Amino acid sequence: MSAEQLLEEARRTLTRVEPHELAGLSDVLVVDIRPHHNRAAEGEIPGSIPIERIVLEWRLDPNGEHRIPGFTADTTVVVLCNEGYASSLAARDLQRVGLPNATDLIGGFRAYAAAGLPIRPGPTPPVT
């Protein structure tokens, strides 16, 4: 299977979010999986939580002993990356660990920023 096919398969399970829709969501956890250098250079979405991709499933497993506080299995989790590719794969993996409402941000952080939506300076220390 090619990377494009893998991405297409992952997106079939997602109800992806447009940047302008993000602010209107309730009971949402916005997770930024971008590397430190991108968050430092470009900023972050206010209220987002940076979580290192390598620990994402452990920190967001709703029944796991290493989970972060502040969400349940019913919470909508919106994952974002630079342009909305890696985030689709990550959101699919979060669905597999018990977050059926996990999805991602169409176009990623860069589409959000290009839409003129609010950003804050980064980088916030990530959850590791």
Side-chain angles (χ1 to χ4, degrees):
M1 180 178 289
S2 72
E4 288 297 320
Q5 291 169 320
L6 190 62
L7 183 63
E8 183 180 312
E9 179 183 86
R11 287 181 174 168
R12 283 189 209 125
T13 67
L14 305 176
T15 303
R16 302 181 77 213
V17 176
E18 292 281 354
H20 67 276
E21 296 174 319
L22 189 57
L25 296 178
S26 60
D27 190 27
V28 65
L29 177 64
V30 180
V31 175
D32 191 338
I33 62 169
R34 294 178 301 141
H36 178 272
H37 68 274
N38 290 120
R39 292 183 292 103
E42 300 174 71
E44 300 171 342
I45 294 175
S48 66
I49 299 173
I51 300 179
E52 297 281 343
R53 178 63 185 97
I54 195 167
V55 297
L56 185 67
E57 290 84 355
W58 283 266
R59 300 300 179 253
L60 294 179
D61 177 348
N63 299 306
E65 65 180 81
H66 302 290
R67 70 189 287 273
I68 63 170
F71 74 99
T72 69
D74 296 325
T75 300
T76 298
V77 177
V78 178
V79 182
L80 66 110
C81 63
N82 287 329
E83 296 178 342
Y85 296 98
S87 59
S88 293
L89 300 175
R92 182 233 20 227
D93 291 346
L94 291 176
Q95 287 180 344
R96 290 177 173 174
V97 297
L99 294 170
N101 299 320
T103 190
D104 74 326
L105 187 65
I106 296 171
F109 178 84
R110 292 180 180 155
Y112 180 93
L117 296 164
I119 60 172
R120 69 176 184 224
T124 302
V127 173
T128 57

